[in-house]
C-alpha cells in the first residue's frame, strides 16, 4: 500500500513536467505577446520591459529559467499586474474556488446520489421520470443562463440571499448559497444519471438475486448489497468532475462576484500574461492529478478485487 | 459419474402423504422479448413431499432454472412474467403472497443454490458477512458470534480448508469450486424445508462432487429436507433422487419414480437420454455412445406439435400437428407422447388438428384479403 502510494506520487512528477513544458511553449506559439497593447509602445520602452522579464533571451533559456523557478515553488511575476506575482494571486483566489467547488460537489453528490437511487428503485414510475427530467434540465441549461436567473429570482426579487459577494469579504454564509447551487446543477444531473444506470445494472446482477433469495428486505438489499458496487462509477467520475467544477466556475464567479481563480484564468489568456496562464494551468493540473490519485485510492478501498501492486 | 448408473436409487421415503409440501400446478413462465414470447416454462406440474428428492433433467434451455426461479419468485421482470398456474407451498399459493410473507419463505423455508457460482456471491462483501447475515436474518435470537461459528462449521462441512481464516476472505479470493461450496454452505445453513439445487456440482471435480451430493443426501434424510436437484447428469439422478421429471422445451415430458424411469423409460427423449449415458456393464457397439441428434427447439412461437418430433425416431403424422396429452403408464409414471395414446384417439386428434389448421389458414387468408381491400 505505502509502496503503491509512493510509486503513484513519483509518477506525478513526469506528468507535471510535461504539462509545464507544453503550456510554456503553447502560450508562446499563440500570436501576440504580453506587451502588445492597442497603442504600440515605443521601441526602447518595450525592449526595456522585455529585458526586465528576460523575454529578450532565447526561448530555451527562458524555459530553463522558468523550470528552475517552478521547482523552487515560484511561479514568477505577473506581466500584467505589476504589483504582485503569480503566487500571490493563486494564494488569494484558489481557496475561494476550492471552497465553492467542494460545497457544490457535496450538493451534487448528496442530491444526485439520492435522486439516482430513488429513480432506480422506482424505475419507470413518475418518480423516476421526474428525477430524470430534472437531470436533463440540469445538463442542458448552461451556467450563464441559470446563474443570472437564480440571482434575479432569489436575490433581487425574493431577497433571500445577497446578489453577490463572498463570505471572506463580509457576505456571510448566505453569499455562498446561490453560486454553490448554480454550479452544482449540471454535476447533480450527471451524478443522478450515473447513479441510476449503475444501480439498475447492479440490481440486475446475480448476487442481488442471491440476496433476494435469502429473504432480505428491499432496503437492506439496496443499502448493503447494491450501493457499494453501484458507487464505483461515481467515484471514477469524481476526479475529473472536481477539476471540471474548478475550471467551470468562471461564469459563476463572474456573475456572483466570487473572488476565485476562474477570473484570472480568463483574464490572463486575454492579456497574454504568460506566467499567470501557466501558473493557473499548473494549479489546475496539480488538482486534477491529486484528485485522480485520491479517487484511485478510494476506488481500491471500495473494491476488494483491486490490489495495490 | 458413469459408474453410478447402476446404483440403486436412494431409499424411498414412505411418506406419500396426500398433502404435498410443494405443489406446482400448471406453471407458465414466459419472457416477452423483442423476438417474440419465449415460453420458457409452459404448463409444468409436479409435487414434492417432505424428505423427498426430486430430479429435474433436460437439455440446456429446457426451462429447469426458470421453473425453480419461479418457485422463489425471482424471475426478472421485465421481461419475465409468471402468466399462469399455482405454486402451493404449505397450503399457501406463493404466487399470491405479499412481499412480506414471501420474505419469510425465501432463504428460510425454501433455499436455493444457484447455477452460477462465479457471479452469485457479492464481490464487495466478505464471505463471513454474507453467511452471517443469512443465518441471522431468519434466526432473530442468534448472536453474531454464534452465527459466525455456525458459518465456519458449515464451511468445514462442505470441505473448505482452514475455514476459520478463509471465511474472512472476499469471493474473488476463492476458486469457482470453492465459491460453489460457499453457496451450498450458505443455502444449507438455514435448515430449509425445501432445498433447490440448480446444478450444484458442475464446477466441482468428481471427488468433491460426490462429497457434496452425499452431504445433501444426508441432510434430506436427517432433517427431512425436500430437495429439488437440477442436473444434466443422470448418474446423479440415479444416485440421489426418488423421483425424476424430464423436461423438454418448457414442459415435463416424463415423470416417474427413479427406478421406474430407468427400468422402463417411456418417452423417446428419455430413452435417448438414458442411452447416451455410458455404462460399464454393457458393451457398446463400435464403442460409440448413442446421442440424440439435432438441436432442442426454439421456444419462441412454437406451433402446436410435439416439440421433440424433428428429433424423434418414432414420430407420426399426429406428432407434427398436436401436442400429446399426458397419460399414465404405471403408478406415478406419466408421459406426454402420442405413442401411449390408442390409435382411435390419435386419429381423432389428428383430424381435429388438421381441421383447426385449415380454419386458421382460411382465417388468415380472409384477414389478409381484408387488409388488402382496406388499402
Ligand atoms: N431473462 C431472460 N430473458 C429472456 N429469456 C430467458 C431469460 N431467462 C431464461 N430465458 C429463456 O428461457 C429458456 C429456459 O431457460 P432456463 O435457464 O430455464 O434453461 P435451463 O434448463 O436451466 O438450461 P441450463 O441447463 O443451460 O441451465 C431459455 O430458452 C432461455 O433463453
Ligand atoms: S409424441 Fe411423437 S414425436 Fe413426440 S416423442 Fe412421442 S412419438 Fe416422438
Ligand atoms: Mg439452468
Amino acid at each position: 500500500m505505502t509502496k503503491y502510494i509512493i510509486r503513484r506520487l513519483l509518477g506525478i512528477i513526469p506528468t507535471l513536467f510535461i504539462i509545464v513544458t507544453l503550456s510554456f511553449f503553447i502560450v508562446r506559439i499563440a500570436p501576440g505577446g504580453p506587451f502588445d497593447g492597442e497603442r504600440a509602445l515605443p521601441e526602447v520602452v518595450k525592449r526595456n520591459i522585455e529585458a526586465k522579464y528576460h523575454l529578450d533571451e532565447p526561448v530555451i533559456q527562458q524555459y530553463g529559467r522558468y523550470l528552475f523557478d517552478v521547482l523552487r515553488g515560484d511561479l514568477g511575476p505577473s506581466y500584467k499586474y505589476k504589483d504582485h506575482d503569480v503566487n500571490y494571486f493563486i494564494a488569494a483566489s484558489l481557496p475561494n474556488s476550492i471552497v465553492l467547488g467542494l460545497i457544490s460537489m457535496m450538493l451534487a453528490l448528496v442530491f444526485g446520489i439520492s435522486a439516482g437511487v430513488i429513480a432506480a428503485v422506482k424505475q419507470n414510475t413518475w418518480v423516476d421520470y421526474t428525477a430524470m427530467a430534472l437531470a436533463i434540465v440540469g445538463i442542458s441549461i448552461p451556467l450563464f443562463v441559470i446563474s443570472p436567473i437564480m440571482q434575479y429570482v432569489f436575490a433581487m426579487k425574493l431577497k433571500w440571499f445577497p446578489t453577490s459577494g463572498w463570505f471572506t469579504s463580509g457576505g456571510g454564509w448566505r453569499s455562498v448559497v446561490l453560486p454553490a447551487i448554480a454550479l452544482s446543477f449540471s454535476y447533480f444531473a450527471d451524478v443522478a444519471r450515473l447513479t441510476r444506470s449503475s444501480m439498475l445494472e447492479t440490481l440486475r446482477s446475480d448476487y442481488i438475486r442471491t440476496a433476494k433469495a435469502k429473504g432480505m428486505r428491499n432496503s437492506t438489499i439496496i443499502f448493503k448489497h447494491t450501493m457499494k458496487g453501484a458507487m464505483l462509477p461515481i467515484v471514477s467520475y469524481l476526479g475529473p468532475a472536481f477539476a471540471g467544477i474548478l475550471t467551470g466556475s468562471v461564469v459563476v464567479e463572474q456573475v456572483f462576484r466570487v473572488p476565485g481563480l476562474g477570473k484570472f484564468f480568463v483574464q490572463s489568456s486575454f492579456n497574454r500574461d504568460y506566467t499567470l496562464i501557466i501558473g493557473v494551468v499548473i494549479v489546475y493540473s496539480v488538482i486534477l492529478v491529486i484528485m485522480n490519485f485520491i479517487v484511485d485510492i478510494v476506488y481500491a478501498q471500495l473494491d476488494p478485487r483491486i490490489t495495490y501492486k | 459419474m458413469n459408474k453410478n448408473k447402476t446404483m440403486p436409487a436412494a431409499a424411498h421415503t414412505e411418506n406419500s402423504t396426500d398433502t404435498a409440501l410443494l405443489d406446482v400446478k400448471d406453471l407458465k413462465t414466459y419472457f416477452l422479448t423483442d423476438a417474440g414470447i419465449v415460453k420458457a416454462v409452459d404448463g409444468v406440474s409436479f409435487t414434492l413431499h417432505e424428505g423427498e428428492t426430486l430430479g429435474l433433467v433436460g437439455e440446456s434451455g429446457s426451462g429447469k432454472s426458470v421453473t425453480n426461479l419461479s418457485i422463489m419468485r425471482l424471475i426478472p421482470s421485465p421481461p419475465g412474467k409468471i402468466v399462469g398456474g399455482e405454486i402451493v407451498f404449505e397450503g399457501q399459493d406463493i404466487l399470491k403472497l405479499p412481499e412480506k410473507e414471501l420474505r419469510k419463505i425465501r432463504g428460510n423455508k425454501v433455499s436455493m443454490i444457484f447455477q452460477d457460482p462465479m457471479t452469485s456471491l457479492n464481490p464487495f462483501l466478505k464471505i463471513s458477512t454474507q453467511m452471517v447475515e443469512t443465518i441471522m436474518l431468519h434466526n432473530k435470537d442468534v448472536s453474531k458470534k454464534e452465527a459466525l461459528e455456525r458459518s465456519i462449521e458449515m464451511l468445514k462441512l462442505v470441505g473448505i480448508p482452514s475455514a476459520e481464516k478463509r471465511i474472512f476472505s472476499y469471493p474473488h479470493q476463492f476458486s469457482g469450486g470453492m465459491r460453489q461450496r460457499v453457496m451450498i454452505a450458505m443455502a444449507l445453513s438455514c435448515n430449509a424445508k425445501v432445498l433447490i439445487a440448480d446444478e450444484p456440482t458442475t464446477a466441482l471435480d468428481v471427488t468433491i462432487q460426490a462429497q457434496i451430493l452425499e452431504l445433501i443426501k444426508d441432510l434430506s434424510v436427517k432433517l427431512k429436507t425436500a430437495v429439488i436437484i437440477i442436473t444434466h447428469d443422470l448418474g446423479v439422478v440415479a444416485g440421489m433422487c426418488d423421483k425424476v421429471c424430464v423436461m423438454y422445451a418448457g414442459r415435463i415430458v416424463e415423470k416417474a419414480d427413479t427406478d421406474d424411469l430407468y427400468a422402463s423409460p417411456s418417452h423417446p427423449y428419455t430413452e435417448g437420454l438414458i442411452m447416451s449415458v455410458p455404462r460399464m456393464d454393457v458393451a457398446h457397439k463400435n464403442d460409440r455412445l448413442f446421442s440424440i441428434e439435432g438441436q432442442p427447439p426454439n421456444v419462441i412461437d412454437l406451433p402446436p406439435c410435439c416439440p421433440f418430433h424433428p428429433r424423434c425416431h418414432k414420430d407420426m403424422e399426429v406428432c407434427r400437428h398436436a401436442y400429446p396429452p399426458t397419460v399414465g403408464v404405471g403408478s406415478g409414471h406419466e408421459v406426454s407422447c402420442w405413442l401411449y395414446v390408442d390409435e382411435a384417439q390419435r386419429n381423432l386428434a389428428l383430424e381435429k388438428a388438421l381441421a383447426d389448421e385449415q380454419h386458421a389458414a382460411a382465417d388468415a387468408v380472409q384477414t389478409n384479403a381484408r387488409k388488402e381491400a382496406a388499402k
Side-chain angles (χ1 to χ4, degrees):
Chain A
M1 174 80 188
T2 327
K3 241 185 188 168
Y4 170 81
I5 292 180
I6 291 172
R7 241 209 13 244
R8 279 295 303 269
L9 287 175
L10 288 179
I12 291 176
I13 295 171
T15 314
L16 289 180
F17 172 75
I18 291 170
I19 289 166
V20 171
T21 308
L22 280 180
S23 42
F24 183 88
F25 289 106
I26 286 173
V27 290
R28 280 166 174 78
I29 289 171
F35 307 109
D36 304 337
E38 302 272 294
R39 211 157 32 92
L41 290 169
E43 201 52 28
V44 197
V45 179
K46 193 173 172 188
R47 217 174 299 142
N48 276 343
I49 296 176
E50 286 187 347
K52 181 181 168 205
Y53 294 116
H54 307 285
L55 288 173
D56 53 346
E57 291 171 0
V59 175
I60 288 297
Q61 202 174 335
Q62 292 181 37
Y63 170 65
R65 188 185 299 280
Y66 185 71
L67 265 189
F68 191 68
D69 286 346
V70 168
L71 274 180
R72 290 182 315 173
D74 178 6
L75 294 171
S78 162
Y79 296 154
K80 192 76 186 176
Y81 309 97
K82 302 206 175 50
D83 305 338
H84 298 291
D85 57 11
V86 175
N87 283 20
Y88 168 85
F89 290 120
I90 288 174
S93 63
L94 182 63
N96 296 330
S97 287
I98 288 183
V99 166
L100 178 61
L102 279 179
I103 294 173
S104 302
M105 211 59 194
M106 289 312 286
L107 289 175
L109 281 178
V110 169
F111 291 102
I113 290 175
S114 314
V117 169
I118 294 169
V121 173
K122 305 264 174 206
Q123 191 196 2
N124 296 334
T125 63
W126 67 269
V127 186
D128 181 19
Y129 297 140
T130 314
M132 286 308 109
L134 215 69
I136 299 277
V137 171
I139 286 173
S140 46
I141 297 187
L143 270 179
F144 60 80
V145 175
I146 193 82
S147 307
I149 291 178
M150 284 178 60
Q151 195 176 37
Y152 179 77
V153 175
F154 298 108
M156 287 153 90
K157 283 288 150 198
L158 296 171
K159 300 209 190 310
W160 290 352
F161 305 101
T163 49
S164 64
W166 193 242
F167 69 94
T168 48
S169 45
W173 65 269
R174 283 167 182 275
S175 59
V176 184
V177 175
L178 288 183
I181 291 177
L183 188 55
S184 73
F185 256 119
S186 70
Y187 295 91
F188 153 78
D190 279 348
V191 171
R193 281 157 49 108
L194 215 56
T195 304
R196 178 180 180 272
S197 65
S198 170
M199 283 292 290
L200 284 178
E201 200 185 313
T202 313
L203 283 170
R204 271 196 296 269
S205 68
D206 283 354
Y207 64 84
I208 297 304
R209 189 179 63 187
T210 308
K212 285 184 190 157
K214 289 177 180 177
M216 306 191 80
R217 294 168 169 282
N218 256 336
S219 53
T220 321
I221 290 177
I222 287 160
F223 289 109
K224 187 169 176 189
H225 283 261
T226 317
M227 286 284 272
K228 212 170 169 192
M231 282 307 109
L232 291 180
I234 311 292
V235 174
S236 338
Y237 164 83
L238 276 186
F242 191 70
I245 218 166
L246 286 184
T247 44
S249 63
V250 179
V251 176
V252 172
E253 288 178 10
Q254 290 282 341
V255 173
F256 294 100
R257 306 250 175 77
V258 178
L261 191 56
K263 185 177 85 182
F264 296 107
F265 193 40
V266 179
Q267 285 183 356
S268 60
S269 310
F270 285 132
N271 295 337
R272 304 279 191 288
D273 194 343
Y274 292 163
T275 40
L276 191 51
I277 298 175
I278 306 173
V280 174
V281 168
I282 291 175
V283 167
Y284 282 146
S285 313
V286 169
I287 289 170
L288 182 63
V289 168
I290 291 174
M291 281 311 292
N292 280 336
F293 174 63
I294 293 174
V295 160
D296 285 353
I297 301 275
V298 173
Y299 200 101
Q301 290 297 330
L302 281 179
D303 191 344
R305 289 168 298 188
I306 292 180
T307 44
Y308 317 97
K309 279 250 177 65
Chain B
M1 293 308 287
N2 40 12
K3 278 162 275 170
N4 284 353
K5 166 63 190 80
T6 47
M7 270 168 57
H12 274 227
T13 35
E14 288 91 69
N15 52 8
S16 308
T17 37
D18 291 317
T19 48
L21 182 61
L22 182 71
D23 190 358
V24 177
K25 295 180 194 163
D26 200 25
L27 176 69
K28 290 183 179 168
T29 306
Y30 296 172
F31 290 92
L32 308 160
T33 67
D34 294 337
I37 298 176
V38 178
K39 298 187 175 176
V41 172
D42 201 14
V44 161
S45 307
F46 60 84
T47 56
L48 189 68
H49 295 90
E50 201 174 80
E52 215 171 31
T53 301
L54 171 77
L56 211 54
V57 295
E59 278 165 304
S60 191
S62 55
K64 307 181 298 292
S65 296
V66 172
T67 302
N68 289 289
L69 289 173
S70 304
I71 295 175
M72 296 288 269
R73 275 199 20 209
L74 287 172
I75 296 295
S77 165
K81 193 168 193 305
I82 298 175
V83 296
E86 278 175 35
I87 298 172
V88 182
F89 175 74
E90 293 187 326
Q92 286 177 303
D93 185 357
I94 288 183
L95 299 181
K96 295 206 182 82
L97 286 184
E99 188 75 26
K100 199 172 161 222
E101 295 301 311
L102 188 64
R103 280 207 308 269
K104 289 184 191 157
I105 292 179
R106 284 175 175 171
N108 185 28
K109 294 184 168 173
V110 182
S111 68
M112 186 158 182
I113 300 166
F114 289 99
Q115 188 171 1
D116 195 345
M118 295 310 276
T119 53
S120 292
L121 290 169
N122 192 330
F124 302 104
L125 300 175
K126 286 180 183 159
I127 305 282
S128 53
T129 314
Q130 300 188 51
M131 291 198 69
V132 165
E133 76 179 0
T134 314
I135 294 172
M136 291 182 71
L137 194 63
H138 300 292
N139 303 284
K140 300 289 180 224
D141 47 343
V142 171
S143 75
K144 207 165 182 172
K145 193 162 158 278
E146 286 167 335
L148 187 65
E149 277 161 13
R150 172 96 167 273
S151 307
I152 293 171
E153 208 176 290
M154 290 312 298
L155 286 183
K156 282 185 179 156
L157 213 58
V158 295
I160 303 261
S162 48
E164 308 79 354
K165 258 187 265 155
R166 302 218 59 183
I167 193 167
F168 298 108
S169 315
Y170 286 97
H172 74 275
Q173 294 165 309
F174 279 26
S175 69
M178 299 264 260
R179 284 187 223 183
Q180 194 149 34
R181 281 185 262 172
V182 172
M183 279 299 297
I184 293 168
M186 217 152 78
L188 298 184
S189 65
C190 276
N191 300 334
K193 294 200 164 165
V194 179
L195 174 70
I196 299 172
D198 195 345
E199 310 201 18
T201 55
T202 37
L204 305 180
D205 57 55
V206 183
T207 35
I208 302 293
Q209 205 170 348
Q211 278 173 24
I212 298 282
L213 292 174
E214 198 60 36
L215 190 75
I216 295 177
K217 210 157 89 181
D218 277 357
L219 189 85
S220 71
V221 174
K222 247 190 262 160
L223 302 171
K224 292 205 169 179
T225 309
V227 181
I228 300 177
I229 270 208
I230 302 177
T231 179
H232 288 276
D233 190 338
L234 281 170
V236 170
V237 172
M240 296 199 51
C241 302
D242 304 317
K243 296 197 294 192
V244 191
C245 291
V246 180
M247 283 194 78
Y248 192 81
R251 309 203 201 203
I252 291 176
V253 293
E254 185 161 3
K255 196 178 341 183
D257 287 352
T258 310
D259 297 342
D260 269 355
L261 191 87
Y262 283 92
S264 56
S266 303
H267 197 281
Y269 175 64
T270 317
E271 273 182 278
L273 276 184
I274 291 178
M275 285 215 280
S276 62
V277 175
R279 289 176 60 161
M280 293 314 231
D281 55 341
V282 178
H284 292 290
K285 278 185 240 155
N286 345 320
D287 267 330
R288 286 187 60 206
L289 283 174
F290 175 88
S291 70
I292 307 168
E293 272 160 36
Q295 291 295 313
N298 189 346
V299 285
I300 297 178
D301 306 326
L302 263 186
C305 66
C306 169
F308 189 60
H309 82 80
R311 303 166 77 187
C312 182
H313 297 293
K314 298 176 182 164
D315 74 316
M316 299 166 284
E317 178 80 29
V318 65
C319 306
R320 284 172 226 135
H321 297 282
Y323 191 84
T326 302
V327 289
V329 290
S331 111
H333 191 160
E334 289 174 0
V335 61
S336 295
C337 171
W338 284 113
L339 289 174
Y340 302 91
V341 177
D342 68 56
E343 194 166 352
Q345 274 182 23
R346 232 160 38 204
N347 288 338
L348 222 63
L350 179 60
E351 267 169 45
K352 189 175 172 297
L354 289 175
D356 284 353
E357 276 172 36
Q358 261 169 6
H359 274 304
D363 281 353
V365 169
Q366 260 185 11
T367 16
N368 270 349
R370 232 176 282 137
K371 265 186 208 158
E372 288 294 317
K375 275 183 199 165

